[in-house]
Amino acid sequence: MRKNIVAGNWKMNNDLAATRTLISELESQVKTSSAEMMIAPTFTNLLEASKLLKESNIEVIAQNMHFAENGAYTGEISATMLKSIGVSTVILGHSERREYFNEDDAILKQKVEAALENNMRIVFCFGEKLEDRKSGNHFNVVENQIKNSLFHLETESWKSIVLAYEPVWAIGTGETASPDQAQEMHQFIRGLVNTKYDDLVSENISILYGGSVKPANAKEIFSNPDVDGGLIGGAALNAESFMAIVNAF
Ligand code: PEP
């Protein structure tokens, strides 16, 4: 049975003091939940966050990583480095990485492989831009992003993959895909995975929605049969709103 997951992507926000504060606020509000919780602080605060949340049921995850094990890649972080501080899940393919850091499907394929070789779980993001949606090309774009970076994987590897559909036009814009638009795309994605693999893979894969999810719209979005949770940006920077989204399950 697939899991419900709510993951907070803190992006380049929160210094060490703010990280400690937000974690302590989250801990004070956390209840038993039917959704798995994850937070992705910046690299510099991952170790502290992991220590603070060691005994909690909030998992600390990374926002990105490099595909190489080590070497001359100034400014980069590898899977082994993440594993060495207890981080076992990484977000890959976020639209901001694709857009501002030129991460294409081929680079992401290498990152996916590196993460899997290191027994990491991957929250793999993809989604169309506004012009793709307007021209009706959104299904094609999403299909190619998934196929090009993930469809070389063996069935077994899919146990370590979480998909996150994030239409770029809805990220940080206040504009959300309607529950029907989200369900339509999630159903398409599950069908795609089913066609390439089998029922076991497609029924067990968690597909998160991301793009301006807030306490006010979370319940309606999550109530769709093919939406298994959310990847949350802005609303994850506030403990009350993040927990309200988690509690929408
Ligand atoms: C994101 O960046 O993954 C995201 C969904 O951001 P926001 O919730 O702010 O739209």
Side-chain angles (χ1 to χ4, degrees), residues 7 9 11 91 94-96 125 166 170-175 209-214 231-236:
N9 175 10
K11 310 191 182 185
I91 299 172
H94 191 278
S95 63
E96 287 149 18
C125 307
E166 298 207 302
I171 294 181
T173 58
E175 190 148 343
Y209 168 80
S212 301
V213 177
K214 305 180 266 289
L231 182 54
I232 319 298

PDB file of all heavy atoms in Angstrom, residues 7 9 11 91 94-96 125 166 170-175 209-214 231-236, ligand 1:
ATOM      1  N   ALA A   7       6.186  16.550   2.440  1.00  0.00           N
ATOM      2  CA  ALA A   7       7.594  16.950   2.548  1.00  0.00           C
ATOM      3  C   ALA A   7       7.695  18.467   2.420  1.00  0.00           C
ATOM      4  O   ALA A   7       7.084  19.064   1.530  1.00  0.00           O
ATOM      5  CB  ALA A   7       8.401  16.280   1.438  1.00  0.00           C
ATOM      6  N   ASN A   9      10.025  21.577   1.592  1.00  0.00           N
ATOM      7  CA  ASN A   9      11.279  21.991   0.963  1.00  0.00           C
ATOM      8  C   ASN A   9      11.565  23.422   1.426  1.00  0.00           C
ATOM      9  O   ASN A   9      10.892  24.358   0.996  1.00  0.00           O
ATOM     10  CB  ASN A   9      11.118  21.924  -0.567  1.00  0.00           C
ATOM     11  CG  ASN A   9      12.338  22.453  -1.297  1.00  0.00           C
ATOM     12  OD1 ASN A   9      13.376  22.705  -0.699  1.00  0.00           O
ATOM     13  ND2 ASN A   9      12.198  22.628  -2.604  1.00  0.00           N
ATOM     14  N   LYS A  11      14.132  25.195   0.820  1.00  0.00           N
ATOM     15  CA  LYS A  11      14.938  25.935  -0.171  1.00  0.00           C
ATOM     16  C   LYS A  11      16.063  26.707   0.529  1.00  0.00           C
ATOM     17  O   LYS A  11      16.577  26.246   1.533  1.00  0.00           O
ATOM     18  CB  LYS A  11      14.035  26.854  -0.996  1.00  0.00           C
ATOM     19  CG  LYS A  11      12.815  26.125  -1.556  1.00  0.00           C
ATOM     20  CD  LYS A  11      12.069  26.924  -2.571  1.00  0.00           C
ATOM     21  CE  LYS A  11      10.855  26.144  -3.032  1.00  0.00           C
ATOM     22  NZ  LYS A  11      10.126  26.789  -4.095  1.00  0.00           N
ATOM     23  N   ILE A  91      15.855  15.092  -2.549  1.00  0.00           N
ATOM     24  CA  ILE A  91      14.987  15.632  -3.608  1.00  0.00           C
ATOM     25  C   ILE A  91      15.851  15.794  -4.851  1.00  0.00           C
ATOM     26  O   ILE A  91      16.933  16.380  -4.783  1.00  0.00           O
ATOM     27  CB  ILE A  91      14.414  17.016  -3.203  1.00  0.00           C
ATOM     28  CG1 ILE A  91      13.551  16.923  -1.937  1.00  0.00           C
ATOM     29  CG2 ILE A  91      13.621  17.638  -4.355  1.00  0.00           C
ATOM     30  CD1 ILE A  91      13.103  18.281  -1.376  1.00  0.00           C
ATOM     31  N   HIS A  94      14.151  19.169  -8.841  1.00  0.00           N
ATOM     32  CA  HIS A  94      13.258  20.302  -8.559  1.00  0.00           C
ATOM     33  C   HIS A  94      13.349  21.303  -9.706  1.00  0.00           C
ATOM     34  O   HIS A  94      14.415  21.513 -10.283  1.00  0.00           O
ATOM     35  CB  HIS A  94      13.646  20.965  -7.229  1.00  0.00           C
ATOM     36  CG  HIS A  94      12.605  21.943  -6.784  1.00  0.00           C
ATOM     37  ND1 HIS A  94      12.540  23.224  -7.276  1.00  0.00           N
ATOM     38  CD2 HIS A  94      11.565  21.815  -5.914  1.00  0.00           C
ATOM     39  CE1 HIS A  94      11.503  23.845  -6.730  1.00  0.00           C
ATOM     40  NE2 HIS A  94      10.893  23.015  -5.904  1.00  0.00           N
ATOM     41  N   SER A  95      12.244  21.948 -10.032  1.00  0.00           N
ATOM     42  CA  SER A  95      12.227  22.852 -11.207  1.00  0.00           C
ATOM     43  C   SER A  95      13.232  23.988 -11.068  1.00  0.00           C
ATOM     44  O   SER A  95      13.748  24.486 -12.065  1.00  0.00           O
ATOM     45  CB  SER A  95      10.830  23.412 -11.430  1.00  0.00           C
ATOM     46  OG  SER A  95      10.445  24.190 -10.332  1.00  0.00           O
ATOM     47  N   GLU A  96      13.530  24.388  -9.826  1.00  0.00           N
ATOM     48  CA  GLU A  96      14.530  25.456  -9.658  1.00  0.00           C
ATOM     49  C   GLU A  96      15.925  24.944 -10.005  1.00  0.00           C
ATOM     50  O   GLU A  96      16.753  25.689 -10.521  1.00  0.00           O
ATOM     51  CB  GLU A  96      14.465  26.013  -8.227  1.00  0.00           C
ATOM     52  CG  GLU A  96      13.211  26.867  -8.042  1.00  0.00           C
ATOM     53  CD  GLU A  96      12.629  26.867  -6.645  1.00  0.00           C
ATOM     54  OE1 GLU A  96      13.331  26.490  -5.691  1.00  0.00           O
ATOM     55  OE2 GLU A  96      11.443  27.247  -6.504  1.00  0.00           O
ATOM     56  N   CYS A 125      11.253  15.145  -8.743  1.00  0.00           N
ATOM     57  CA  CYS A 125      10.315  16.204  -9.171  1.00  0.00           C
ATOM     58  C   CYS A 125      10.337  16.423 -10.684  1.00  0.00           C
ATOM     59  O   CYS A 125      11.383  16.301 -11.320  1.00  0.00           O
ATOM     60  CB  CYS A 125      10.694  17.535  -8.541  1.00  0.00           C
ATOM     61  SG  CYS A 125      10.886  17.511  -6.769  1.00  0.00           S
ATOM     62  N   GLU A 166       5.088  18.714  -9.986  1.00  0.00           N
ATOM     63  CA  GLU A 166       5.070  20.122  -9.602  1.00  0.00           C
ATOM     64  C   GLU A 166       4.978  20.997 -10.852  1.00  0.00           C
ATOM     65  O   GLU A 166       6.006  21.310 -11.476  1.00  0.00           O
ATOM     66  CB  GLU A 166       6.350  20.481  -8.852  1.00  0.00           C
ATOM     67  CG  GLU A 166       6.524  19.718  -7.560  1.00  0.00           C
ATOM     68  CD  GLU A 166       7.372  20.508  -6.576  1.00  0.00           C
ATOM     69  OE1 GLU A 166       8.512  20.846  -6.908  1.00  0.00           O
ATOM     70  OE2 GLU A 166       6.861  20.809  -5.495  1.00  0.00           O
ATOM     71  N   ALA A 170       2.768  26.754 -10.950  1.00  0.00           N
ATOM     72  CA  ALA A 170       2.092  26.800  -9.647  1.00  0.00           C
ATOM     73  C   ALA A 170       3.076  26.908  -8.485  1.00  0.00           C
ATOM     74  O   ALA A 170       2.671  26.973  -7.335  1.00  0.00           O
ATOM     75  CB  ALA A 170       1.222  25.556  -9.482  1.00  0.00           C
ATOM     76  N   ILE A 171       4.382  26.932  -8.789  1.00  0.00           N
ATOM     77  CA  ILE A 171       5.368  26.933  -7.696  1.00  0.00           C
ATOM     78  C   ILE A 171       5.671  28.356  -7.251  1.00  0.00           C
ATOM     79  O   ILE A 171       6.150  29.173  -8.043  1.00  0.00           O
ATOM     80  CB  ILE A 171       6.672  26.214  -8.120  1.00  0.00           C
ATOM     81  CG1 ILE A 171       6.365  24.742  -8.354  1.00  0.00           C
ATOM     82  CG2 ILE A 171       7.742  26.354  -7.044  1.00  0.00           C
ATOM     83  CD1 ILE A 171       7.560  23.922  -8.740  1.00  0.00           C
ATOM     84  N   GLY A 172       5.362  28.633  -6.001  1.00  0.00           N
ATOM     85  CA  GLY A 172       5.660  29.940  -5.420  1.00  0.00           C
ATOM     86  C   GLY A 172       4.859  31.076  -6.030  1.00  0.00           C
ATOM     87  O   GLY A 172       5.155  32.251  -5.807  1.00  0.00           O
ATOM     88  N   THR A 173       3.843  30.739  -6.811  1.00  0.00           N
ATOM     89  CA  THR A 173       3.085  31.785  -7.506  1.00  0.00           C
ATOM     90  C   THR A 173       1.751  32.076  -6.834  1.00  0.00           C
ATOM     91  O   THR A 173       1.084  33.045  -7.174  1.00  0.00           O
ATOM     92  CB  THR A 173       2.762  31.327  -8.953  1.00  0.00           C
ATOM     93  OG1 THR A 173       2.021  30.101  -8.865  1.00  0.00           O
ATOM     94  CG2 THR A 173       4.039  31.109  -9.758  1.00  0.00           C
ATOM     95  N   GLY A 174       1.370  31.228  -5.903  1.00  0.00           N
ATOM     96  CA  GLY A 174       0.057  31.374  -5.283  1.00  0.00           C
ATOM     97  C   GLY A 174      -1.016  30.691  -6.134  1.00  0.00           C
ATOM     98  O   GLY A 174      -2.140  30.496  -5.718  1.00  0.00           O
ATOM     99  N   GLU A 175      -0.649  30.334  -7.354  1.00  0.00           N
ATOM    100  CA  GLU A 175      -1.591  29.650  -8.247  1.00  0.00           C
ATOM    101  C   GLU A 175      -1.457  28.138  -8.040  1.00  0.00           C
ATOM    102  O   GLU A 175      -0.344  27.601  -8.067  1.00  0.00           O
ATOM    103  CB  GLU A 175      -1.242  29.996  -9.691  1.00  0.00           C
ATOM    104  CG  GLU A 175      -2.283  29.548 -10.639  1.00  0.00           C
ATOM    105  CD  GLU A 175      -2.372  30.495 -11.842  1.00  0.00           C
ATOM    106  OE1 GLU A 175      -1.858  31.621 -11.734  1.00  0.00           O
ATOM    107  OE2 GLU A 175      -2.949  30.082 -12.828  1.00  0.00           O
ATOM    108  N   TYR A 209       1.866  16.001  -4.921  1.00  0.00           N
ATOM    109  CA  TYR A 209       1.604  17.210  -5.698  1.00  0.00           C
ATOM    110  C   TYR A 209       2.329  18.375  -5.040  1.00  0.00           C
ATOM    111  O   TYR A 209       2.340  18.486  -3.798  1.00  0.00           O
ATOM    112  CB  TYR A 209       0.087  17.515  -5.767  1.00  0.00           C
ATOM    113  CG  TYR A 209      -0.129  18.909  -6.318  1.00  0.00           C
ATOM    114  CD1 TYR A 209      -0.063  19.131  -7.694  1.00  0.00           C
ATOM    115  CD2 TYR A 209      -0.293  20.004  -5.464  1.00  0.00           C
ATOM    116  CE1 TYR A 209      -0.168  20.411  -8.201  1.00  0.00           C
ATOM    117  CE2 TYR A 209      -0.401  21.287  -5.968  1.00  0.00           C
ATOM    118  CZ  TYR A 209      -0.337  21.489  -7.335  1.00  0.00           C
ATOM    119  OH  TYR A 209      -0.417  22.768  -7.830  1.00  0.00           O
ATOM    120  N   GLY A 210       2.934  19.242  -5.842  1.00  0.00           N
ATOM    121  CA  GLY A 210       3.559  20.446  -5.293  1.00  0.00           C
ATOM    122  C   GLY A 210       3.223  21.658  -6.124  1.00  0.00           C
ATOM    123  O   GLY A 210       3.165  21.582  -7.358  1.00  0.00           O
ATOM    124  N   GLY A 211       2.987  22.752  -5.449  1.00  0.00           N
ATOM    125  CA  GLY A 211       2.680  24.008  -6.140  1.00  0.00           C
ATOM    126  C   GLY A 211       1.635  24.767  -5.355  1.00  0.00           C
ATOM    127  O   GLY A 211       0.447  24.510  -5.490  1.00  0.00           O
ATOM    128  N   SER A 212       2.136  25.656  -4.480  1.00  0.00           N
ATOM    129  CA  SER A 212       1.258  26.529  -3.692  1.00  0.00           C
ATOM    130  C   SER A 212       0.221  25.774  -2.853  1.00  0.00           C
ATOM    131  O   SER A 212      -0.924  26.218  -2.717  1.00  0.00           O
ATOM    132  CB  SER A 212       0.579  27.577  -4.581  1.00  0.00           C
ATOM    133  OG  SER A 212       1.549  28.371  -5.226  1.00  0.00           O
ATOM    134  N   VAL A 213       0.624  24.632  -2.298  1.00  0.00           N
ATOM    135  CA  VAL A 213      -0.275  23.935  -1.366  1.00  0.00           C
ATOM    136  C   VAL A 213      -0.270  24.712  -0.048  1.00  0.00           C
ATOM    137  O   VAL A 213       0.780  25.125   0.449  1.00  0.00           O
ATOM    138  CB  VAL A 213       0.160  22.473  -1.110  1.00  0.00           C
ATOM    139  CG1 VAL A 213      -0.748  21.805  -0.080  1.00  0.00           C
ATOM    140  CG2 VAL A 213       0.166  21.677  -2.411  1.00  0.00           C
ATOM    141  N   LYS A 214      -1.468  24.925   0.477  1.00  0.00           N
ATOM    142  CA  LYS A 214      -1.642  25.699   1.722  1.00  0.00           C
ATOM    143  C   LYS A 214      -2.645  24.950   2.596  1.00  0.00           C
ATOM    144  O   LYS A 214      -3.361  24.078   2.097  1.00  0.00           O
ATOM    145  CB  LYS A 214      -2.238  27.077   1.399  1.00  0.00           C
ATOM    146  CG  LYS A 214      -1.479  27.897   0.382  1.00  0.00           C
ATOM    147  CD  LYS A 214      -2.154  29.238   0.136  1.00  0.00           C
ATOM    148  CE  LYS A 214      -3.115  29.242  -1.040  1.00  0.00           C
ATOM    149  NZ  LYS A 214      -2.561  29.155  -2.364  1.00  0.00           N
ATOM    150  N   LEU A 231       4.500  18.130  -1.813  1.00  0.00           N
ATOM    151  CA  LEU A 231       5.816  18.734  -1.616  1.00  0.00           C
ATOM    152  C   LEU A 231       5.529  20.220  -1.440  1.00  0.00           C
ATOM    153  O   LEU A 231       4.951  20.861  -2.320  1.00  0.00           O
ATOM    154  CB  LEU A 231       6.724  18.462  -2.824  1.00  0.00           C
ATOM    155  CG  LEU A 231       8.160  18.993  -2.736  1.00  0.00           C
ATOM    156  CD1 LEU A 231       8.869  18.523  -1.469  1.00  0.00           C
ATOM    157  CD2 LEU A 231       8.969  18.541  -3.949  1.00  0.00           C
ATOM    158  N   ILE A 232       5.912  20.726  -0.278  1.00  0.00           N
ATOM    159  CA  ILE A 232       5.463  22.051   0.128  1.00  0.00           C
ATOM    160  C   ILE A 232       6.648  23.004   0.203  1.00  0.00           C
ATOM    161  O   ILE A 232       7.647  22.696   0.854  1.00  0.00           O
ATOM    162  CB  ILE A 232       4.790  21.990   1.540  1.00  0.00           C
ATOM    163  CG1 ILE A 232       3.900  20.738   1.697  1.00  0.00           C
ATOM    164  CG2 ILE A 232       4.037  23.276   1.855  1.00  0.00           C
ATOM    165  CD1 ILE A 232       2.750  20.628   0.761  1.00  0.00           C
ATOM    166  N   GLY A 233       6.533  24.169  -0.425  1.00  0.00           N
ATOM    167  CA  GLY A 233       7.598  25.168  -0.355  1.00  0.00           C
ATOM    168  C   GLY A 233       7.277  26.216   0.696  1.00  0.00           C
ATOM    169  O   GLY A 233       7.499  26.008   1.889  1.00  0.00           O
ATOM    170  N   GLY A 234       6.720  27.327   0.262  1.00  0.00           N
ATOM    171  CA  GLY A 234       6.465  28.465   1.153  1.00  0.00           C
ATOM    172  C   GLY A 234       5.761  28.099   2.460  1.00  0.00           C
ATOM    173  O   GLY A 234       6.183  28.528   3.543  1.00  0.00           O
ATOM    174  N   ALA A 235       4.723  27.303   2.374  1.00  0.00           N
ATOM    175  CA  ALA A 235       3.933  26.989   3.575  1.00  0.00           C
ATOM    176  C   ALA A 235       4.672  26.067   4.539  1.00  0.00           C
ATOM    177  O   ALA A 235       4.235  25.868   5.677  1.00  0.00           O
ATOM    178  CB  ALA A 235       2.595  26.374   3.175  1.00  0.00           C
ATOM    179  N   ALA A 236       5.835  25.527   4.120  1.00  0.00           N
ATOM    180  CA  ALA A 236       6.613  24.661   5.023  1.00  0.00           C
ATOM    181  C   ALA A 236       7.522  25.479   5.929  1.00  0.00           C
ATOM    182  O   ALA A 236       8.139  24.929   6.846  1.00  0.00           O
ATOM    183  CB  ALA A 236       7.450  23.680   4.206  1.00  0.00           C
TER     184      ALA A 236
HETATM  185  C1  PEP B   1       8.242  23.759  -4.266  1.00  0.00           C
HETATM  186  O1  PEP B   1       9.122  24.571  -4.466  1.00  0.00           O
HETATM  187  O2  PEP B   1       8.490  22.549  -4.315  1.00  0.00           O
HETATM  188  C2  PEP B   1       6.898  24.259  -3.991  1.00  0.00           C
HETATM  189  C3  PEP B   1       5.899  23.448  -4.153  1.00  0.00           C
HETATM  190  O3  PEP B   1       6.810  25.559  -3.606  1.00  0.00           O
HETATM  191  P1  PEP B   1       5.466  26.330  -3.146  1.00  0.00           P
HETATM  192  O4  PEP B   1       4.719  25.423  -2.227  1.00  0.00           O
HETATM  193  O5  PEP B   1       5.962  27.569  -2.461  1.00  0.00           O
HETATM  194  O6  PEP B   1       4.710  26.629  -4.388  1.00  0.00           O
END
